[in-house]
Amino acid sequence: QVQLVESGGGLVQAGGSLSLSCAASGTIFGINAMGWYRQAPGKQRELVANIIIGGSTNYADSVKGRFTISRDNAKNTVYLQMNSLKPEDTAVYYCNYNLRVALGSRMYWGQGTQVTVSS
């Protein structure tokens, strides 16, 4: 059984910074990718950033240059540093791990953490 525990988030004024972290625990055979998604009220969940096996990263256009995703392989932890936050970044942020399992891969989600940016 794999569990993802998120931390960070909160309330910040526009232009401020927040950082998120997500640690995976349990039996992990391998990680294909890890990343962050967000869902604002009334909107679909969207990819914010991810790291693919090998280290390549992808960012949503709306966060490029402001957010940075990183990982600590030894700790099975992924981080999201969010700078120059805007009110439109307000959402529930979910970490996501794509893990190798016996017969392929499986997606795991964190519990979600609220990020609120005030104007």
Side-chain angles (χ1 to χ4, degrees):
Q1 188 74 7
V2 175
Q3 289 188 326
L4 305 183
V5 178
E6 299 181 26
S7 61
L11 173 64
V12 66
Q13 289 188 330
S17 297
L18 286 173
S19 61
L20 306 179
S21 65
C22 177
S25 63
T27 303
I28 298 174
F29 296 105
I31 299 175
N32 295 318
M34 51 178 71
W36 293 92
Y37 287 71
R38 67 185 181 187
Q39 188 166 18
K43 295 188 177 181
Q44 289 188 333
R45 190 172 298 189
E46 63 176 359
L47 175 67
V48 177
N50 66 4
I51 298 178
I52 308 299
I53 183 172
S56 63
T57 58
N58 299 289
Y59 292 92
D61 288 342
S62 59
V63 306
K64 283 180 181 177
R66 301 187 298 121
F67 290 12
T68 303
I69 189 170
S70 61
R71 66 183 180 183
D72 184 331
N73 291 335
K75 296 181 179 180
N76 287 332
T77 299
V78 62
Y79 306 93
L80 186 68
Q81 178 63 40
M82 305 182 289
N83 298 327
S84 302
L85 282 160
K86 304 175 180 180
E88 51 263 43
D89 294 318
T90 296
V92 177
Y93 285 69
Y94 299 89
C95 66
N96 170 271
Y97 279 57
N98 183 319
L99 302 179
R100 288 200 295 273
V101 294
L103 297 178
S105 63
R106 180 174 176 181
M107 303 280 276
Y108 292 86
W109 293 91
Q111 78 276 15
T113 186
Q114 178 71 46
V115 170
T116 303
V117 184
S118 63
S119 56

